[in-house]
Every structure is written in C-alpha cells, then in structure tokens.
Amino acid sequence: MQGIPLSKKGRERLQSELDALISQKRPAVAKSVEEFRNMGDLSENAPYHAAREELAMIDARVGLLEDMLARGFLVDRARLPRDRVAFGTRVEAENLTTSSSEVYHLVGEGEADPEKGWILTLAPLAQAFIGKKVGETVTVKLP
C-alpha cells in the first residue's frame, strides 16, 4: 500500500467529513431504515430500499476516508526542494501546440478541485510535473 500525501488542511477536511458521516448522517439514515422497515412489507417498500442503499454508500465512504487517513502522511513543505516541482507547488503549463496555458496547484487528498486547477499529486498529470525544473518541457499523454 502506498502512502497518501496530505497537507494539514486536507487532513482536517477528510477528518471533518468522516466525523460528520459517523456522528450525524449515518445515524439519521440508519434511523430512516429502521422506520421504513417497521412499515411492513419490505418487497414493495421503495423508501426502505433507497435508505438501505444510501446507508451502504455512507459506509463505503466511511471506509474509504478511514483508509486514506490511516495511510496518509503530512507533507512538510519546508523539507521539499524549492527548485523543482513538488507537493504543494503551483505550476503554470503552456500547451505548445495551442499556445494556451493552464495553472495547476498540486495538492493532496481532501483538497482536489479540478475546476480551480487543484489536482492530486497522485494524478497522472501531476506525476508528469513532479521533479521538473522551471522551463523544462514535459510531455504528457492524456486520455
């Protein structure tokens, strides 16, 4: 299993989401499941089946968050190289074919937001940038 790089802010977001799921959302949905179960015939009880499905999705997300937090490690930006692209770096990349440019910020779990250009350091695009110096040409094949 590979460790998951996290910033302090990203770790806090993941923990906050996990806490909310466990202490608020899961108990509310579990209560709904019980209420719908008490209505009688479960074979024709669509709300019961929907609530059970939602509970299963919550449990899956809880498991994923617990795994990410267990495997996560805080990245100390002060210990990373300043002359190369690394975790937390802001990268401005120019597409040499179209002459357009994009700005990316390489982040950890809990912080990704592709619409803002915040991409996971584990993403293929970010992996292509990591370790490169300013001015280097990077070739990336994307789907």
Side-chain angles (χ1 to χ4, degrees), residues 83-85 129 131-137:
D83 63 334
R84 295 184 179 273
V85 176
F129 293 136
K132 302 298 189 262
K133 290 184 176 185
V134 173
E136 274 192 68
T137 300

Side-chain angles (χ1 to χ4, degrees), residues 38-58:
N38 292 334
M39 289 182 170
D41 185 9
L42 298 180
S43 65
E44 307 247 345
N45 191 334
Y48 166 77
H49 293 290
R52 283 207 38 189
E53 186 174 320
E54 184 178 3
L55 189 59
M57 290 189 310
I58 290 169

Side-chain angles (χ1 to χ4, degrees), residues 85 88-94 101-107 113-114 116-119 125-126 129 142:
V85 176
T89 303
R90 180 184 166 278
V91 176
E92 184 172 351
E94 179 183 354
S101 66
E102 296 279 338
V103 175
Y104 301 101
H105 191 86
L106 308 187
V107 298
D113 187 344
K116 290 182 180 176
W118 289 38
I119 59 174
L125 182 60
F129 293 136
L142 299 174

Side-chain angles (χ1 to χ4, degrees), residues 22-39:
I22 290 173
S23 67
Q24 297 167 8
K25 191 159 186 174
R26 191 183 191 295
V29 174
K31 183 178 178 186
S32 294
V33 168
E34 186 62 33
E35 288 171 359
F36 292 133
R37 181 182 292 134
N38 292 334
M39 289 182 170

